[in-house]
Amino acid sequence: MDNKLLIEKLIDAAGKENVFTDNEHLIIYQRGSIDPLKHMPLAVVKITDEKNISRVIKIANEFNINIIARGGGSSPTGAVVPDDNTLIMDLRPLNKINVSIEDGYVEAYAGATLQEVNEECKKYNFFFPPDPSSVSVSTVGGAINENSGGMRCARYGVVKDWILKLDVVLADGSETTFGEAIYKNRGGFNIIDLIAGSEGTLCIVKKAWLKIIAMPKKIYRIAGFYDNINDAMDAILAIRKLNPLILEFSDYYGIVAANKIRGFSYPETRGGMVLADTDFDESYLEDIKKIMEKNASKIIIPENKDEFNNIFEVRRIAFTAPGILFPGFIDGDVVVPLSKLKDMINFVYKTREKYGVYIATCGHAGDGNLHPQIGGNPDDHENWRNVLLAMDDINIEAVRLGGSISGEHGIGRIKKDLLLKQLKYKKQDETIIIMKNLKKMFDPKNILNRGNFFD
Amino acid sequence: MNINNDILNEIRQAAGENNVLQNLEEKIPYKNDASYMPGRIPELVIIPENSDQISRVLKLCTKYKIDVTVRSGGTSLTGSSVTNYNGIIINTMKMDKILELNIASRYVVCQPGVRLDNLNEYLNKYGFFYPPDPASSKASTVGGTISTNAGGLRAVRYGATKEWVLGTEFVTATGEIIRTGEYTLKRSAGYDLTALIIGSEGTLGVLTEAILKIEPLPEKYGRILSFYNDIYDVGSALSAVKNAGITPLIAEFMDLKTINSIRDKLNIKIPDYTQFMLMVDIDSTEASLKGKIENVEKIIKNYTKDVLTIMDQKTMDEIYKARKGAYSALLNQREKKNEIVIIGDVIVPASELPATLKEIKNAVDKMKINVSLFGHIGDGNIHANIFAENTKTGLEKVEKLQMEIAMAAIRHKGCVSAEHGIGTEKNKLLYEEYKERNSLYSLELMKRIKAVFDPENIMNRGKIFYD
């Protein structure tokens, strides 16, 4: 292939200042956030004008080159990691945001971060509820493509539940629109929800219209520390009935790590911590407290802003702790029916014993979504082998319990085999064929994020 | 293709001898649904008991290119449950079981023939409910409401059906039985085929099982009725409530004609100047309901002097029932014997509502047609009920008015269907909508998606897409 000609054409289409081929720039785009996977792209094109998306895709078609649309690059599953012969389209510069309060939506280009979106909405006392912990970097386009979740899922669901309308660019460079900026819409098949979670394999999201709502007036926060993990899980099921704003969990290892990393002194109870927010009224806080009082050895209701934030940090740090404490770690993202939460967490504990590895588990327990994060040393062969085996066991157990290998982080490149295993286990071979046919229909030349989902 | 004796025998064997209707008198009820769209009497009606039978029948239908339409409650308002071809109708009403309830995991598993009111009666015993609530809930089914992505009164708070389906068992047109989605509250495992199935109006295959998300019943709620002379004030009052950060459980409006049709059932005093009534339900904890209601009353009083709050459950139930029966009640307001009432279903953004209503009113006045309005104003969803003579000229007039109303909605950034679907009634309007927006390519993609599930185009041919 004639790379020189390709680069010339890209420069023609997107401007010299927006096309990068030097190692120094490319190196930033070779990987996502957590996984060790990496691969150098062929070139990077910064999209500063929305019309350039289509132009670049048309060139990619001509040269038969793989394209990855990238926003914040925070995918934990390698969804933004290049394949061979890959062109990265950096959509981050496309970040215009426009809020319409009366019609209840925010109109945002793919490159706007969720934080930027929320800062804009905040001016009117509104917000966009989905809040993956990477809000400061993850973008509208990325969050839609990954169908992200976050802390507030227990009440507000995932990104998919908030999309009204999408402007997209298809694999052949043509542009079209799905949905409308209204709250109910029957316009044929629901393509928006097909695109949400498709990880850049069906089309490129250019712009989105997202539902927003008024911010809660006051948030009450409470944390219960448990000696017994089964009691903690029972409390989660009971609190779920009170429709909390968030309902989170961190296990013992997460609390210990947070205390160590941040110098906190929260109770290091063996059964972990259950954290709940409610925005209704104080009676709900009382009701949650009553549930916790049954078995929690300690209950904390933050009395000032620092305490309010710090206790949240415990849950947040539990997620990243293995990455801070160990040279390498892999991210778990299993989801099970709520009634199977107890089985899942106990299995994680057994797996830790079996392989002798470090696992800190936290998660959006209110949705049945747990993040068992496994830390280890990739250079220590024996240890890293056990890390990978442990994660495999955990994923397969989630499927066996009627759950899934991914709640919100997606499949990307690192869970491809697991996805196939899951669909096969559930006797969904036919479903795989339909998915592959859909991919072929949207992207006949297989140039959109090749190597994701399926081979 | 014609169904000859050999094929008939194969189908009978595939479906089970007792599950096939052949006699004319048994098939006549399948000629119509709740819409005014003319259907045909099908060649055969099949009432299967399980997905294996459906799979076998569909394999044959794909092989012999026989048209198939799926039907359950028959409450479609756009003709999606009647056939326009010489084909078969699959009636899923024998598959009417609630298979599993899992309170801890917040789901219920149902067969397609379960009626929504029956499902909710069952769930209410456990303090839970399934939120989608179309006015036809007494007759409409889990299968039908999924295939049309039905909305209803509670959609302003809980959204339409698509937000409540976790997974399905589905038989594709080629007879493959697939499972989509999970029993979990979220998942990301490949493309979301469940989302595609919802709202596909029987054009991809047959839904045979659904995993539905359920919610605890609201602790306590009250109802605020308010009365207006001008539609602008109705919209402004509701906007003010929503901008104060309060999302009502339901927010309905109705015009005087609708009020009159259910006046005897409402049993409340309605001020003389009333042209429109707004009905807003506010829910809360027992402890703070009173304060919240007072707050909403105060906001609404900036727009009208007459506000009536009802807290008594029995009275609230009666009013709710009356509102849900409004469409049927309007049927009694017909002046001539051969008159029919056709219910429209457009939606616009909240800010465009007053201007859109004004344009609709102008179109109605110009054409001198009797029309009454009600709708889920919280979503910007307007149902214009058009009274017309059931004659060729009458129906032509309706079609013209429907087109005018649709174009008004499209001009105001809205859509030609909010919750009733497309069927055959609106396939041309849908085409116009996509054309107007320069996104006909989106419709083309949808057709190709249909071909992935249904290569011979046997499923509900002629629905959704305008050829």
Side-chain angles (χ1 to χ4, degrees):
Chain A
M1 186 180 44
D2 189 350
N3 276 348
K4 201 166 149 264
L5 187 62
L6 165 74
I7 303 300
E8 270 171 25
K9 288 210 168 184
L10 289 174
I11 288 173
D12 250 14
K16 194 170 176 20
E17 68 283 9
N18 294 320
V19 179
F20 301 90
T21 51
D22 56 306
N23 270 352
E24 212 175 308
H25 269 98
L26 298 190
I27 218 160
I28 308 168
Y29 294 90
Q30 65 176 341
R31 51 171 297 185
S33 67
I34 293 176
D35 56 287
L37 270 188
K38 59 182 180 184
H39 193 96
M40 286 290 261
L42 208 59
V44 173
V45 182
K46 283 204 176 177
I47 302 294
T48 50
D49 176 342
E50 58 179 292
K51 292 192 196 80
N52 290 351
I53 300 176
S54 167
R55 289 184 189 136
V56 171
I57 291 187
K58 281 178 183 153
I59 297 169
N61 262 292
E62 205 179 307
F63 290 83
N64 204 12
I65 287 173
N66 184 38
I67 290 193
I68 294 179
R70 180 176 165 124
S74 52
S75 161
T77 58
V80 292
V81 177
D83 202 77
D84 286 337
N85 249 331
T86 296
L87 185 65
I88 299 260
M89 229 192 256
D90 185 348
L91 296 179
R92 183 71 184 93
L94 279 188
N95 64 351
K96 232 170 53 196
I97 300 166
N98 194 15
V99 178
S100 169
I101 293 299
E102 193 171 358
D103 292 332
Y105 66 76
V106 56
E107 182 185 339
Y109 277 90
T113 64
L114 297 184
Q115 190 162 311
E116 287 165 351
V117 166
N118 271 326
E119 273 161 15
E120 206 51 41
C121 295
K122 205 177 167 189
K123 292 179 189 162
Y124 310 88
N125 245 340
F126 269 63
F127 77 121
F128 173 65
D131 64 335
S133 47
S134 53
V135 279
S136 60
V137 287
S138 70
T139 58
V140 166
I144 289 172
N145 269 298
E146 293 299 326
N147 189 23
S148 302
M151 304 277 187
R152 291 189 283 247
C153 287
R155 166 82 64 77
Y156 294 117
V158 289
V159 167
K160 177 172 292 194
D161 300 322
W162 298 86
I163 312 170
L164 299 173
K165 172 178 174 182
L166 291 179
D167 275 353
V168 305
V169 186
L170 297 159
D172 61 359
S174 53
E175 304 202 19
T176 197
T177 299
F178 295 107
E180 197 40 74
I182 40 180
Y183 275 39
K184 288 189 293 194
N185 173 14
R186 293 298 326 284
F189 298 148
N190 178 3
I191 310 291
I192 288 178
D193 286 3
L194 191 65
I195 293 169
S198 66
E199 304 190 16
T201 60
L202 297 181
C203 61
I204 307 236
V205 173
K206 187 174 92 179
K207 190 177 176 186
W209 285 253
L210 307 165
K211 273 196 274 192
I212 51 175
I213 53 171
M215 281 167 62
K217 288 233 160 54
K218 184 170 178 190
I219 293 174
Y220 303 89
R221 180 163 290 167
I222 181 168
F225 292 83
Y226 290 83
D227 292 328
N228 184 315
I229 193 128
N230 291 325
D231 290 340
M233 294 298 126
D234 283 338
I236 284 164
L237 292 187
I239 296 167
R240 182 70 161 83
K241 293 198 181 111
L242 299 171
N243 200 6
L245 190 60
I246 72 166
L247 182 50
E248 297 288 319
F249 171 73
S250 164
D251 76 348
Y252 161 75
Y253 299 91
I255 304 170
V256 171
N259 279 345
K260 190 170 160 192
I261 293 165
R262 292 294 303 270
F264 296 148
S265 50
Y266 287 106
E268 297 180 349
T269 45
R270 282 275 156 189
M273 172 189 83
V274 174
L275 180 72
D277 279 4
T278 181
D279 61 343
F280 294 132
D281 58 47
E282 227 166 335
S283 73
Y284 272 73
L285 184 70
E286 284 305 311
D287 287 346
I288 296 173
K289 196 172 155 212
K290 266 181 225 148
I291 291 169
M292 287 184 170
E293 272 166 355
K294 249 185 249 161
N295 290 309
S297 58
K298 171 120 177 114
I299 292 171
I300 296 178
I301 298 174
E303 278 167 8
N304 57 49
K305 211 172 164 213
D306 280 347
E307 277 180 36
F308 193 83
N309 293 333
N310 286 345
I311 201 142
F312 197 74
E313 276 296 289
V314 176
R315 158 62 186 85
R316 260 172 42 82
I317 291 196
F319 182 78
T320 47
I324 299 170
L325 302 173
F326 290 84
F329 87 108
I330 51 173
D331 161 62
D333 176 34
V334 291
V335 59
V336 291
L338 284 172
S339 58
K340 296 288 198 287
L341 255 183
K342 217 184 268 183
D343 298 326
M344 190 70 238
I345 190 79
N346 281 306
F347 184 85
V348 171
Y349 275 54
K350 260 186 250 150
T351 307
R352 174 191 297 112
E353 308 271 295
K354 183 174 167 194
Y355 292 101
V357 289
Y358 174 90
I359 310 179
T361 303
C362 60
H364 316 301
D367 307 316
N369 185 194
L370 292 176
H371 297 308
Q373 308 292 89
I374 313 185
N377 183 359
D379 295 329
D380 176 346
H381 247 37
E382 171 76 20
N383 166 265
W384 196 246
R385 202 181 126 255
N386 282 330
V387 166
L388 296 176
L389 284 173
M391 190 56 95
D392 237 25
D393 280 11
I394 289 170
N395 277 313
I396 285 161
E397 180 68 8
V399 174
R400 224 186 48 79
L401 290 171
S404 177
I405 54 165
S406 176
E408 55 180 16
H409 295 170
I411 304 300
R413 302 174 78 84
I414 63 170
K415 286 188 177 168
K416 275 193 286 192
D417 293 343
L418 281 168
L419 174 63
L420 281 184
K421 263 188 210 163
Q422 170 168 327
L423 292 173
K424 285 223 160 88
Y425 177 88
K426 296 190 173 174
K427 298 199 171 55
Q428 298 183 354
D429 299 54
E430 279 306 323
T431 314
I432 303 172
I433 294 172
I434 290 177
M435 287 185 190
K436 284 188 173 172
N437 285 339
L438 286 173
K439 162 78 177 164
K440 219 180 278 170
M441 200 218 79
F442 272 89
D443 180 18
K445 285 175 147 178
N446 196 17
I447 60 163
L448 293 178
N449 214 354
R450 186 164 58 211
N452 264 263
F453 270 22
F454 317 106
D455 282 318
Chain B
M1 169 155 182
N2 271 333
I3 302 175
N4 64 33
N5 269 341
D6 291 344
I7 297 176
L8 177 67
N9 280 336
E10 278 190 76
I11 292 177
R12 290 180 66 99
Q13 222 163 19
E17 293 286 332
N18 298 325
N19 300 331
V20 181
L21 305 183
Q22 275 176 268
N23 298 331
L24 185 65
E25 62 273 22
E26 293 173 320
K27 295 186 301 188
I28 286 176
Y30 292 87
K31 183 169 179 275
N32 293 304
D33 56 17
S35 75
Y36 69 98
M37 301 309 294
R40 280 176 72 132
I41 296 172
E43 252 333 73
L44 290 176
V45 174
I46 294 166
I47 316 179
E49 297 151 280
N50 57 53
S51 39
D52 285 334
Q53 288 168 348
I54 295 174
S55 161
R56 288 197 294 263
V57 168
L58 288 184
K59 274 182 183 150
L60 291 172
C61 291
T62 284
K63 183 174 163 195
Y64 297 117
K65 299 192 179 54
I66 298 167
D67 280 291
V68 180
T69 293
V70 192
R71 177 183 177 114
S72 48
T75 56
S76 167
L77 292 163
T78 59
S80 40
S81 48
V82 295
T83 180
N84 304 107
Y85 297 97
N86 191 25
I88 68 169
I89 283 186
I90 294 179
N91 175 354
T92 59
M93 288 311 284
K94 252 189 217 168
M95 297 169 71
D96 62 350
K97 283 169 206 64
I98 296 171
L99 301 172
E100 183 195 352
L101 171 65
N102 191 326
I103 294 280
S105 298
R106 293 274 191 118
Y107 68 76
V108 62
V109 184
C110 284
Q111 289 188 316
V114 175
R115 294 192 200 268
L116 290 194
D117 276 2
N118 293 347
L119 174 61
N120 269 325
E121 205 177 298
Y122 169 80
L123 293 172
N124 289 350
K125 283 189 278 192
Y126 300 89
F128 277 77
F129 78 119
Y130 172 65
D133 187 33
S136 58
S137 59
K138 204 169 167 183
S140 58
T141 61
V142 166
T145 50
I146 288 176
S147 79
T148 54
N149 189 21
L153 278 68
R154 288 191 286 241
V156 58
R157 164 72 66 80
Y158 295 105
T161 300
K162 80 178 177 86
E163 296 185 27
W164 297 92
V165 185
L166 297 174
T168 70
E169 183 191 78
F170 190 77
V171 188
T172 65
T174 50
E176 309 297 345
I177 301 174
I178 63 170
R179 291 202 73 93
T180 71
E182 304 285 346
Y183 295 90
T184 53
L185 295 174
K186 57 182 181 183
R187 69 271 161 196
S188 49
Y191 301 127
D192 189 348
L193 300 184
T194 310
L196 261 188
I197 289 165
I198 301 164
S200 62
E201 300 186 27
T203 59
L204 302 177
V206 185
L207 181 101
T208 47
E209 202 178 296
I211 310 165
L212 306 172
K213 207 156 61 157
I214 53 174
E215 268 290 286
L217 284 162
E219 195 170 315
K220 185 102 186 147
Y221 66 98
R223 178 163 299 152
I224 302 172
L225 304 177
S226 49
F227 306 90
Y228 306 82
N229 180 257
D230 189 338
I231 187 72
Y232 270 82
D233 294 332
V234 182
S236 307
L238 186 65
S239 289
V241 171
K242 281 165 77 179
N243 290 348
I246 299 160
T247 307
L249 263 183
I250 67 167
E252 296 286 315
F253 87 105
M254 55 182 86
D255 70 355
L256 186 59
K257 241 174 242 162
T258 313
I259 296 171
N260 284 339
S261 74
I262 56 172
R263 196 180 272 267
D264 55 330
K265 296 194 187 78
L266 285 175
N267 218 358
I268 48 168
K269 186 164 166 19
I270 295 160
D272 291 340
Y273 62 83
T274 302
Q275 289 298 320
F276 298 96
M277 181 174 88
L278 174 65
M279 170 168 138
V280 173
D281 280 11
I282 300 295
D283 70 324
S284 172
T285 53
E286 183 105 42
S288 53
L289 182 67
K290 200 164 159 268
K292 214 168 162 187
I293 292 253
E294 279 168 7
N295 187 16
V296 175
E297 281 175 344
K298 216 167 85 193
I299 295 170
I300 293 182
K301 276 194 175 144
N302 290 326
Y303 302 90
T304 176
K305 60 181 180 9
D306 290 298
V307 175
L308 175 66
T309 297
I310 296 166
M311 305 287 282
D312 164 53
Q313 192 60 47
K314 195 166 153 267
T315 315
M316 282 198 287
D317 288 346
E318 278 163 10
I319 295 173
Y320 196 72
K321 223 170 119 192
R323 161 61 190 89
K324 278 178 105 176
Y327 176 58
S328 327
L330 284 170
L331 295 174
N332 295 328
Q333 303 277 307
R334 289 172 295 184
E335 284 161 10
K336 297 190 196 99
K337 227 181 172 171
N338 71 339
E339 227 174 21
I340 52 174
V341 184
I342 291 144
I343 181 167
D345 173 39
V346 294
I347 180 161
V348 292
S351 63
E352 305 282 339
L353 199 56
T356 314
L357 282 167
K358 194 115 215 163
E359 278 182 40
I360 290 175
K361 199 170 172 303
N362 288 345
V364 168
D365 289 348
K366 204 174 74 197
M367 292 180 68
K368 298 193 177 60
I369 295 184
N370 192 2
V371 171
S372 79
L373 298 172
F374 60 76
H376 316 303
I377 194 169
D379 316 313
N381 186 188
I382 310 158
H383 295 308
N385 298 275
I386 308 168
F387 290 72
E389 276 183 51
N390 195 3
T391 57
K392 194 159 170 270
T393 38
L395 290 175
E396 271 169 13
K397 245 172 126 179
V398 171
E399 201 168 311
K400 201 162 157 239
L401 180 61
Q402 289 264 56
M403 184 61 97
E404 294 247 350
I405 293 175
M407 291 316 280
I410 293 169
R411 274 196 301 279
H412 290 282
K413 300 186 207 153
C415 289
V416 299
S417 175
E419 55 179 13
H420 294 170
I422 306 298
T424 40
E425 188 199 25
K426 289 187 174 169
N427 54 8
K428 180 143 190 285
L429 296 181
L430 186 70
Y431 177 84
E432 293 295 333
E433 181 179 312
Y434 277 91
K435 198 169 139 200
E436 179 79 18
R437 304 236 159 86
N438 242 337
S439 43
L440 277 177
Y441 204 84
S442 300
L443 267 185
E444 187 50 43
L445 274 175
M446 289 178 200
K447 276 191 205 165
R448 286 191 229 157
I449 287 177
K450 175 162 169 50
V452 167
F453 285 80
D454 180 16
E456 299 294 343
N457 194 19
I458 59 164
M459 295 304 304
N460 229 358
R461 184 153 61 102
K463 312 293 161 64
I464 299 182
F465 305 108
Y466 176 70
D467 295 310

